[in-house]
């Protein structure tokens, strides 16, 4: 395996990168890309302006002291103890303190016979069991007094709201709920059928002028008091349904009884009409002129021209169910945002601007506020008072990705060096100099924008003000004109007042029976030989400063001396795992280039040494302890890469037992499945954080390994967990190696502390992510990479005012890959409002969902899952009810009115509610749930967006020549056409679904077989064929993978094949087999909740 063939790195911005920067990557964060000359505004930085310079070529300070050279750290004071210990251990720890490499005795047997790996499972994912009954949803709906009887009409989105025979009879209760059924396989897509029902009227025309309603007012329409069914987008109480055309012609459409649409009088506008005047949003321009309040709901109605106006014949049995096309479509919202906001750069100069959606590709120009790549907020307009905030229940939160990578088109951050005096800060609140600080008294003082304290300007920083009160050098200084920048930290910002040494990477490899047998150890060692050449560097550096070390283990640990002067590596065994120490310092952590021959020899020998092992038991905590002690002895921060296969049952600290118990699901004790089974790992994690020791864990389990406990240390140290169930080299090597390469190479900061300061009136009160906190304000991160986010929640502690707005400043102190201590500053200014409508007009639903998912996923540790789900639903209902009550124009109580910016809140929230963590299917393992739970904890907004609402792309609809990604369709079975092929991805999983009626030519072109029946279900790789379709599909798959931070393994699923159940789990608009509501159902339920709050 040549690393140079590795998958492209993830372009963090949802945009395929044309070129794989690969190992020559300029680390966009931290360092400056060596060759990139920052664009214009700061070209003057190269000039004589004293005090800071443009890095990297000109880092004025010498590279930080690189500390002791590799291997020389034995003089370290804190290493002494351990070393001394080793001197004794040399004797007591027996087998050999120094041995030449040799085959590990295969004869050691430890009782238990080797466990054969389970190989029968297809992949990480498993087919789901038989569908449970639909009782839950039925009951839910029955309780909603949905008017109308159920008729055995073909249900569409898995729901069979029956068509009442007439409006009059529709006032009855919900009947015959047993007639639910799934949409028949093979039936034509509902989309292909006429759906010109008035109920499908695009809401843009009917929205009331507050620009946010989905519901048209129903002027003059007869009210049906008995109809309590929810009204949905574009629906209002209307005339007798018998007068509505097209009911019969659209059997699959769902329309809630009683929700007949009444278009406002007048001729039906065209489907794509532009928004009516008066509907324009007033959102600081952030929505762009083109975006109407209700864009294009109706765009998919073939029957549109007819609609409403055509006096169709009286329809005897009009099906009155909620039309899926009439409810807000994620696809449409995403498309509209792309069209409206994808072409212009997002300029950050204006306070409180809502950025484009995460699904839109856009460039950012920093003009004083941090890019949305670094910070996104749930709302960009904060209520002035806590009372208002409480009323709205809209969480005020920011999702911060401090080290986010930038696309190549955007300049990386400037590094400002204030010399020995260090960064300029407010004396009182310690906020860092930023564009919002107010210079006064001719420039001699500045007033802090966070705490109002007036500070003296140091003489060397003095500058005159212009007539507007602005410093004349404002645009020459990043810290006075940009939202994001870095400061070089002085020694005051370093541990023990000493500049840090370059970090180290320690590879710790499980060599027990399972690891050897699966081929993992051989594969890994082979890969490392070349991968070590691509350790992360600060921008411009020729060689990585990172040192490496190696440990193997089963129930004992083997350390390796790979000192460059040795002819062969030496192994030292530590069997006293209860009292872990590092048996060697000199020669353990080495420079790759200096010790290359010895390292290569070691990596060649490791698989051979253990090839006959019978050892099945492993330890886990002592391994982390050993790595952490080694870093401590070397006085550096670093990262441990653990490759681990099994539940650590060997006698040692952190020993675990199998406590997986599926009977706990849906009980009050379910939460224990997510809790670690011992506190030992928290204690260990705390020590790791103190040392700046980040832990990345690669798991290769064949059975339960207790991810909830094993992931504690990675989680609290800012590390990552990867899981490859039933790992087999032939099936999984591409995925594992791709993840490993990316993980080893990614730029990372160490020993970091993040602090979020706010202007008076609000403060950060809660934090979500992979980190540790020893007090209430400082987020401590042993390691932090460009993918990890921290979600921060804010609460009021005083009144805000509209004039001043609200400010956030996120300061991250960290050690770069080269050992340089830096401060990264992100500033963001937000508006404040006295009108709730302003809050609702400036929200970002994707960010809200990120926050709500993290909140809920943390909640499962302490509360029954039902409580967690109910809390989410109640909060969502409260948010929407508050809007309805305070912001929407008066209208029928039966109407569901959603704020424009939150119209996807119900569909996305439903996806969170029915996710595997909150509502598991029968086949989702406890480990999978714990795994996903911790993954979501540090996801950014783009990742949670696609994770909860997967992307479904039809492949043969668009012309083959068209190289761009095809437009997505909604994640519902009824959108699937059996003559087409689809890709579905959610950032972790990737499916290729093949319809049963796909043209034979397509089958041949993609799979190189002559018929559908010959396609191998569960296939993981498409054959490489030289034809346009094959190239296009494989190219698309590569692109999707490149956009995500983890490699997505492909699974080919055939229509009506067993594996299809697995695939359908991701069709999140449909009812799920484990009882999760369909989108339509959930929207009805949400409406009911809102009505209760309003009544
Ligand atoms: Zn201050």
């Amino acid at each position: 395996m040549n690393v140079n063939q590795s998958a492209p790195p993830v372009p963090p911005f949802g945009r395929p990168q044309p070129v794989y920067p690969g190992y020559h990557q300029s680390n966009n964060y931290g360092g400056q890309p060596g060759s990139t000359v920052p664009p214009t505004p700061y070209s003057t930085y190269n000039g004589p302006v004293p005090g800071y310079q443009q890095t990297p070529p000109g880092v004025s300070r010498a590279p930080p002291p690189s500390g002791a050279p590799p291997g020389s750290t034995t003089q370290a004071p804190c290493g002494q103890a351990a070393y001394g210990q080793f001197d004794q251990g040399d004797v007591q720890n027996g087998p050999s303190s120094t041995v030449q490499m040799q085959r590990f005795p295969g004869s050691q047997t430890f009782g238990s016979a080797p466990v054969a790996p389970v190989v029968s499972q297809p992949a990480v994912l498993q087919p789901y069991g038989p569908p449970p009954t639909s009782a839950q949803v039925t009951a839910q709906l029955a309780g909603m007094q949905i008017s109308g009887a159920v008729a055995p009409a073909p249900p569409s989105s898995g729901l069979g709201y029956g068509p009442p025979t007439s409006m009059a009879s529709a006032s009855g209760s919900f009947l015959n709920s047993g007639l639910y059924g799934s949409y028949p396989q093979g039936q034509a897509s509902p989309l292909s059928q006429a759906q010109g029902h008035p109920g499908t009227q695009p809401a843009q025309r009917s929205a009331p002028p507050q620009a946010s309603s989905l519901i048209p007012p129903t002027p003059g329409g007869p009210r049906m008091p008995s109809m309590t069914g929810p009204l949905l987008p574009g629906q209002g109480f209307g005339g007798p349904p018998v007068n509505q055309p097209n009911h019969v012609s659209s059997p699959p459409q769902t329309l809630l009884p009683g929700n007949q649409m009444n278009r406002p009088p007048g001729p039906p506008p065209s489907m794509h009409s532009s928004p009516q005047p008066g509907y324009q949003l007033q959102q600081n321009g952030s929505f762009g002129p083109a975006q109407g309040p209700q864009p294009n709901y109706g765009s998919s109605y073939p029957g549109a021209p007819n609609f409403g106006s055509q006096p169709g014949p009286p329809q005897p049995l009009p099906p009155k169910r909620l039309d899926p096309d009439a409810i807000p479509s994620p696809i449409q919202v995403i498309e509209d945002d792309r069209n409206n906001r994808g072409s212009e750069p997002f300029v950050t100069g204006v306070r409180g601007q809502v950025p484009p959606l995460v699904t839109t590709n856009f460039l950012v120009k920093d003009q004083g506020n941090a890019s949305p790549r670094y910070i996104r907020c749930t709302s960009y307009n904060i209520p002035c008072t806590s009372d208002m905030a409480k009323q709205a229940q809209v969480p005020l939160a920011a999702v911060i990705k401090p080290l986010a990578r930038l696309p190549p088109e955007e300049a990386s951050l400037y590094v400002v060096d204030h010399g020995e005096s260090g960064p300029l800060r407010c004396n009182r609140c310690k906020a860092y100099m930023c564009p919002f600080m107010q210079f006064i008294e001719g420039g001699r003082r500045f007033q802090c924008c966070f705490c109002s304290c007036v500070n003296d300007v140091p003489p060397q920083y003095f500058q005159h003000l212009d007539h507007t009160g602005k410093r004349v050098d404002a645009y020459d200084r990043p810290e006075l004109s940009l939202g994001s920048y870095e400061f070089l930290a002085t020694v005051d910002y370093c541990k023990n007042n000493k500049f840090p040494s370059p970090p180290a990477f320690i590879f710790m490899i499980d060599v027990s029976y399972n690891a050897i047998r699966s081929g993992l150890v051989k594969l890994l060692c082979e890969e490392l030989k070349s991968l070590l050449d691509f350790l992360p560097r600060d921008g411009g550096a020729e060689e990585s400063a990172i040192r490496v070390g190696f440990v193997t283990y089963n129930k004992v640990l083997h350390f390796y001396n790979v000192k460059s002067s040795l002819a062969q590596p030496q192994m030292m065994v530590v069997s006293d795992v209860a009292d872990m120490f590092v048996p060697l310092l000199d020669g353990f952590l080495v420079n790759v280039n200096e010790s290359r021959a010895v390292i290569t020899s070691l990596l060649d020998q490791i698989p051979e040494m253990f090839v006959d092992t019978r050892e099945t038991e492993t330890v886990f905590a002592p391994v982390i302890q050993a790595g952490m002690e080694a870093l401590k002895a070397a006085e550096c921060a670093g990262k441990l890469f653990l490759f681990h296969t099994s539940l650590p049952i060997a006698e040692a600290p952190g020993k675990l037992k199998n406590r997986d118990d599926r009977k706990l699901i849906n009980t009050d004790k379910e939460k224990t499945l997510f809790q670690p089974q011992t506190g030992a790992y928290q204690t260990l994690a705390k020590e790791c954080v103190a040392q700046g020791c980040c832990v990345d864990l690669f798991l290769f389990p064949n059975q339960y390994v207790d991810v909830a406990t094993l992931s504690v240390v990675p989680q609290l140290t800012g590390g990552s967990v990867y899981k490859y169930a039933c790992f087999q080299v032939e099936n999984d090597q591409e995925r594992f190696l791709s993840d490993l390469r990316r993980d080893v190479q990614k730029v990372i900061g160490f020993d970091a502390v993040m602090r979020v300061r706010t202007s008076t009136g609000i403060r950060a009160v809660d934090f979500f992510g992979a980190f540790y906190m020893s007090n209430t304000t400082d987020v401590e991160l042993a390691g932090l990479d460009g993918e990890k986010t921290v979600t921060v929640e804010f609460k009021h502690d005083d009144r805000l005012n509209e004039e001043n707005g609200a400010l956030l400043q996120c300061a991250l102190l960290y050690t770069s890959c080269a050992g340089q201590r830096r401060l990264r500053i992100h500033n963001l200014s937000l508006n404040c409002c006295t009108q709730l409508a302003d809050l609702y007009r400036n929200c970002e639903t994707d960010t809200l969902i990120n926050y709500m998912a993290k909140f809920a996923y943390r909640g499962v540790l302490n509360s029954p899952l039902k409580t967690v789900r109910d809390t989410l639903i109640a909060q969502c209902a409260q948010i929407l009810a508050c809007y309805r009550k305070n912001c929407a124009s008066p209208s029928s109580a039966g109407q569901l009115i959603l704020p424009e910016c939150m119209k996807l809140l119900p569909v996305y929230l439903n996806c969170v509610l029915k996710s595997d963590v909150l509502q598991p299917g029968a086949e989702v393992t406890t480990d999978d749930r714990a795994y996903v739970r911790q993954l979501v904890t540090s996801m950014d907004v783009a990742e949670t967006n696609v994770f909860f609402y997967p992307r479904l792309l039809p492949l043969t609809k668009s012309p083959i020549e068209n190289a761009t990604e095809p437009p997505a369709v909604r994640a519902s079975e009824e959108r699937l056409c059996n003559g087409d092929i689809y890709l579905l991805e959610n950032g972790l999983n990737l499916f290729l679904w093949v319809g049963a009626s796909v043209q034979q030519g397509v089958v041949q072109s993609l799979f190189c077989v002559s018929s559908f029946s010959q396609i191998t279900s569960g296939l993981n790789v498409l054959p490489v064929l030289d034809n346009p379709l094959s190239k296009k599909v494989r190219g698309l798959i590569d692109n999707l993978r490149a956009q995500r931070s983890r490699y997505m393994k492909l699974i080919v699923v055939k229509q009506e094949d067993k594996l299809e159940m697995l695939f359908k789990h991701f069709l999140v608009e449909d009812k799920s087999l484990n009882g999760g509501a369909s989108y339509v159902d959930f929207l009805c339920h949400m409406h009911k909740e809102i009505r209760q709050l309003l009544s």
Side-chain angles (χ1 to χ4, degrees):
M1 251 319 172
N2 181 344
V3 279
N4 289 310
Q5 296 163 346
S6 72
V10 190
F13 313 108
R15 173 188 316 134
Q17 280 182 328
V19 182
Y20 178 27
Y23 306 104
H24 311 293
Q25 63 196 7
S26 54
N27 307 324
N28 279 331
Y29 88 74
Q32 302 271 42
S35 59
T36 307
V37 176
T40 43
Y42 295 99
S43 51
T44 53
Y45 288 165
N46 288 317
V49 182
Y52 65 91
Q53 82 286 340
Q54 173 191 351
T55 52
V59 176
S60 60
R61 202 172 65 192
S66 55
S72 67
T73 46
T74 51
Q75 300 139 0
C78 60
Q80 289 295 11
Y83 203 56
Q85 213 172 359
F86 166 57
D87 292 339
Q88 300 163 358
D90 200 15
V91 179
Q92 80 192 35
N93 284 297
S96 53
S97 60
T98 303
V99 292
Q100 282 306 115
M101 302 309 265
Q102 54 191 318
R103 183 165 282 216
F104 202 76
S107 58
Q108 346 171 246
T109 48
F110 293 90
S112 57
V115 179
V118 180
V119 293
S120 59
Q121 286 164 287
V124 183
L125 295 162
Q126 298 154 352
Y128 288 82
T133 68
S134 55
Q136 189 170 339
V137 174
T138 306
Q140 176 192 85
L141 289 166
M144 294 173 60
Q145 299 179 296
I146 290 172
S147 313
V150 171
S156 58
S157 58
L159 283 175
Y161 295 107
T165 54
S166 71
M167 208 56 167
S169 70
S171 60
S173 61
F174 189 73
L175 299 175
N176 206 1
S177 56
L179 290 175
Y180 284 26
S182 58
Y183 191 72
Q185 294 272 357
Q187 188 166 338
S189 159
L191 277 180
S192 65
Q193 307 190 23
Q195 297 193 353
H197 190 279
T200 63
Q201 173 180 0
Q204 65 183 25
R205 270 160 280 115
S206 49
Q210 73 268 31
S212 49
S213 166
L214 298 175
I215 308 293
T218 58
R223 292 285 157 82
M224 308 286 289
S226 62
M227 301 228 175
T228 54
L231 286 183
L232 283 148
Q235 299 179 331
F237 284 109
V242 287
N243 292 331
Q244 307 292 345
N246 299 331
H247 282 188
V248 169
S249 63
S250 54
Q253 108 187 7
T254 44
L255 184 69
L256 275 184
N259 291 341
Q260 307 300 329
M261 245 354 202
N262 256 0
R263 210 164 37 75
S270 76
M271 294 313 298
H272 300 282
S273 66
S274 55
Q276 289 179 359
Y279 287 9
Q280 294 295 344
L281 296 179
Q282 299 154 10
Q283 300 187 2
N284 305 324
S286 60
F287 269 65
Q291 178 160 357
Q294 290 303 321
N296 300 333
Y297 275 18
S299 61
S300 51
Y301 295 82
N306 292 337
F307 116 19
S309 61
Q310 186 174 294
Q315 304 302 327
L317 289 172
K320 296 186 186 62
R321 286 168 290 124
L322 189 59
D323 181 353
D325 280 338
I327 58 183
S329 158
I331 305 305
Q332 194 65 56
V333 170
I334 289 169
E335 280 296 307
D336 289 344
D337 195 73
R338 279 184 185 154
N339 293 334
N340 295 332
R341 309 200 62 189
S343 51
E344 303 264 311
F346 179 69
V347 180
T348 70
V350 178
R351 186 175 83 186
Q353 282 186 107
V354 182
L357 297 181
V358 285
T359 41
T360 298
N361 289 336
F362 60 98
L363 288 179
V364 182
K365 281 180 94 168
D366 185 342
Q367 291 195 356
N369 283 288
S371 161
R373 306 193 201 288
Y374 297 119
I375 307 182
R376 279 185 177 265
C377 294
T378 53
S379 177
Y380 292 80
N381 204 326
I382 300 181
C384 276
T385 66
S386 61
D387 284 349
M388 260 175 87
K390 276 178 198 145
Q391 201 184 348
Q393 289 279 311
V394 176
L396 302 175
V399 179
I400 306 178
K401 186 152 59 159
L403 297 184
R405 288 181 297 168
L406 302 178
E409 302 90 327
E410 292 178 16
S412 51
L413 298 191
Y414 292 99
V415 183
V416 179
D417 185 357
H418 282 322
E420 295 202 347
S421 62
L424 190 52
R425 309 175 68 173
C426 168
N427 288 329
R428 185 199 286 159
C429 73
K430 303 295 178 194
Y432 294 86
M433 182 51 67
C434 73
F436 308 115
M437 296 289 187
Q438 197 70 47
F439 287 86
I440 53 176
E441 296 178 26
R444 287 186 300 278
R445 302 177 124 194
F446 71 94
Q447 182 166 29
C448 176
C449 52
F450 295 93
C451 72
S452 301
C453 173
V454 173
N455 298 272
D456 290 334
V457 173
Q460 74 274 15
Y461 199 75
F462 173 80
Q463 187 53 267
H464 293 286
L465 309 184
D466 67 14
H467 65 285
T468 64
K470 197 167 195 153
R471 280 173 63 117
V472 296
D473 65 346
Y475 290 104
D476 298 328
R477 290 186 176 271
E479 76 277 15
L480 296 181
S481 54
L482 293 179
S484 301
Y485 43 88
E486 294 201 324
F487 289 114
L488 280 187
T490 60
V491 74
D492 299 338
Y493 294 85
C494 302
K495 221 180 249 177
N496 307 323
N497 279 346
K498 214 174 129 189
F499 282 114
S501 310
F505 282 179
I506 304 177
F507 297 90
M508 316 187 86
I509 306 167
D510 178 347
V511 290
S512 67
Y513 177 80
N514 282 334
I516 297 292
R517 152 116 188 213
S518 68
L520 167 67
V521 174
K522 191 164 180 18
L523 178 71
L524 172 61
C525 289
E526 197 56 38
E527 176 67 20
L528 284 179
K529 281 193 269 180
S530 44
L531 187 54
L532 292 177
D533 286 335
F534 303 105
L535 301 177
R537 288 161 290 170
D538 273 359
E542 287 213 345
E543 185 180 90
S544 175
I546 290 172
R547 289 169 293 161
V548 298
F550 303 88
V551 170
T552 57
Y553 68 95
N554 36 49
K555 58 198 271 192
V556 299
L557 277 73
H558 325 106
F559 292 80
Y560 298 93
N561 185 341
V562 283
K563 198 173 178 176
S564 58
S565 57
L566 293 174
Q568 281 292 310
Q570 295 173 340
M571 174 202 266
M572 305 191 187
V573 179
V574 176
S575 51
D576 182 10
V577 291
D579 186 17
M580 187 45 61
F581 63 94
V582 183
L584 79 165
L585 291 171
D586 188 26
F588 179 64
L589 294 178
V590 298
N591 174 289
V592 174
N593 283 337
E594 287 167 12
S595 289
R596 178 173 307 275
V598 194
I599 291 173
T600 302
S601 170
L602 171 67
L603 293 169
D604 281 336
Q605 291 179 58
I606 286 175
E608 290 303 308
M609 278 190 287
F610 300 98
V611 70
D612 293 326
T613 186
R614 313 292 285 180
E615 182 55 74
T616 58
E617 293 191 0
T618 57
V619 295
F620 187 71
V623 184
I624 296 175
Q625 180 91 32
M628 189 262 295
E629 298 287 353
L631 295 178
K632 191 187 281 181
E635 290 193 301
C636 67
K639 183 146 90 165
L640 312 182
F641 297 79
L642 258 73
F643 305 88
H644 190 81
T645 59
S646 58
L647 192 69
I649 53 170
E651 202 53 57
K655 172 187 174 181
L656 300 180
K657 59 179 188 294
N658 187 335
R659 44 104 189 215
D660 188 16
D661 185 357
R662 300 189 63 84
K663 290 195 293 294
L664 298 181
I665 293 174
N666 289 324
T667 71
D668 282 357
K669 287 191 175 165
E670 186 169 5
K671 61 190 175 195
T672 61
L673 296 176
F674 296 107
Q675 296 165 348
Q677 62 171 289
T678 158
Y681 287 94
Q682 273 107 327
T683 310
L684 182 57
K686 197 174 165 183
E687 291 180 57
C688 287
V689 172
Q691 185 51 45
C693 170
C694 172
V695 178
D696 278 0
L697 176 59
F698 293 77
L699 285 169
F700 306 85
N702 290 328
Q703 53 200 343
Y704 178 76
V705 290
D706 199 345
V707 172
T709 307
L710 296 189
S711 64
V712 165
V713 179
Q715 173 79 17
L716 292 176
T717 60
S720 303
V721 179
Y722 300 84
K723 182 163 159 287
Y724 310 89
C726 304
F727 180 84
Q728 290 291 299
V729 165
E730 52 275 25
N731 295 330
D732 302 301
Q733 74 166 18
E734 196 180 353
R735 179 170 158 235
F736 164 58
L737 292 181
S738 173
D739 287 343
L740 174 67
R741 289 167 190 156
R742 201 185 324 240
D743 195 71
V744 168
Q745 295 173 65
K746 69 186 171 190
V747 178
I748 174 171
F750 293 97
D751 219 350
V753 182
M754 185 181 111
R755 176 85 174 259
V756 178
R757 292 183 173 82
T758 49
S759 53
T760 311
I762 53 166
R763 71 195 155 87
V765 293
D766 206 352
F767 302 84
F768 303 82
F771 53 74
Y772 178 79
M773 290 185 80
S774 54
N775 58 41
T776 56
T777 54
D778 295 327
V779 175
E780 296 174 45
L781 299 130
L784 176 67
D785 62 50
E787 286 152 10
K788 300 279 188 316
T789 62
V790 177
T791 295
V792 184
E793 188 185 5
F794 302 95
K795 287 250 158 66
H796 287 77
D797 58 6
D798 203 347
R799 204 188 152 81
L800 299 164
N801 72 63
E802 289 172 289
E803 190 188 337
N804 292 345
L807 299 176
L808 313 179
Q809 183 178 75
C810 165
L812 178 82
L813 175 64
Y814 71 101
T815 300
S816 76
C817 293
Q820 195 175 57
R821 200 73 173 148
R822 293 180 178 177
L823 275 154
R824 177 170 288 209
I825 312 293
H826 297 298
N827 303 292
L828 186 64
S829 60
L830 303 170
N831 285 330
C832 296
C833 60
T834 53
Q835 299 298 316
L836 281 167
D838 290 329
L839 165 68
Y840 285 98
R841 268 201 286 264
N842 291 279
C843 280
E844 191 179 60
T845 296
D846 294 334
T847 309
L848 266 177
I849 288 294
N850 180 283
Y851 166 84
M852 291 172 96
K854 289 176 181 178
F855 181 82
Y857 279 21
R858 185 172 68 186
V860 302
L861 290 173
N862 305 307
S863 309
L865 268 70
K866 185 172 186 315
T867 309
V868 172
R869 291 195 301 262
D870 290 348
T871 305
L872 281 185
I873 292 172
Q875 183 170 21
C876 181
Q878 181 64 45
I879 291 170
L880 298 176
C882 175
Y883 174 79
R884 180 73 170 74
K885 188 174 170 196
N886 297 287
C887 308
S889 66
S891 55
S892 160
Q895 294 177 337
L896 172 61
I897 303 181
L898 302 174
E900 173 63 23
C901 293
M902 287 189 192
K903 64 186 174 190
L904 298 181
L905 187 59
V907 59
Y908 286 161
L909 186 73
N910 188 40
C911 296
V912 175
L913 290 168
K914 61 198 222 177
S915 62
D916 289 339
V917 171
L918 295 184
Q919 196 162 11
E923 295 304 316
V924 178
T925 66
T926 301
D927 273 346
D928 280 338
R929 296 176 74 196
Y931 177 60
V932 167
R933 194 188 79 80
Q934 73 84 32
L935 279 185
V936 168
T937 303
S938 36
M939 280 186 183
D940 68 17
V941 179
E943 286 173 318
T944 49
N945 176 266
V946 77
F947 176 73
F948 288 111
Y949 191 94
R951 205 149 50 133
L952 181 60
L953 306 171
L955 295 189
T956 60
K957 291 259 166 63
S958 55
I960 286 183
E961 315 80 66
N962 194 344
T964 58
E965 215 167 79
V969 297
R970 294 168 66 171
S972 169
E973 189 173 356
E974 69 180 56
R975 309 288 164 175
L976 297 174
C977 166
N978 62 7
D980 205 351
I981 290 181
Y982 297 81
L983 274 175
L984 182 146
E985 66 108 359
N986 72 345
L988 294 179
N989 306 97
L990 178 63
F991 295 94
L992 183 73
W993 183 89
V994 187
S997 308
V998 165
Q999 284 178 11
Q1000 195 262 340
V1002 171
V1003 170
Q1004 184 71 42
S1005 299
L1006 271 186
F1007 299 98
C1008 202
V1009 296
S1010 56
S1011 71
F1012 176 78
S1013 61
Q1014 289 176 297
I1015 299 170
T1016 310
S1017 174
L1019 200 67
N1020 298 125
V1021 185
L1022 292 179
V1024 178
L1025 303 174
D1026 188 18
N1027 66 69
L1029 182 65
S1030 176
K1031 285 179 186 166
K1032 179 182 172 181
V1033 172
R1034 285 181 290 113
L1036 191 52
I1037 289 172
D1038 289 345
N1039 270 347
L1040 293 177
R1041 284 179 175 151
Q1043 292 171 30
R1044 303 297 172 208
S1045 59
R1046 287 166 186 246
Y1047 184 88
M1048 298 184 286
K1049 183 173 161 182
L1050 179 71
I1051 301 179
V1052 173
V1053 173
K1054 293 163 69 179
Q1055 186 175 12
E1056 293 182 33
D1057 183 82
K1058 263 190 244 163
L1059 270 181
E1060 202 188 21
M1061 299 309 283
L1062 176 57
F1063 171 77
K1064 285 182 182 173
H1065 181 62
F1066 297 92
L1067 299 177
V1068 288
E1069 288 202 23
D1070 299 342
K1071 186 163 60 168
S1072 63
L1073 294 174
N1074 48 22
S1078 71
Y1079 176 18
V1080 170
D1081 273 350
F1082 184 70
L1083 200 53
C1084 293
H1085 180 66
M1086 191 49 65
H1087 188 217
K1088 181 189 142 207
E1089 298 276 325
I1090 294 167
R1091 287 165 60 96
Q1092 273 177 0
L1093 289 171
L1094 292 175
S1095 63

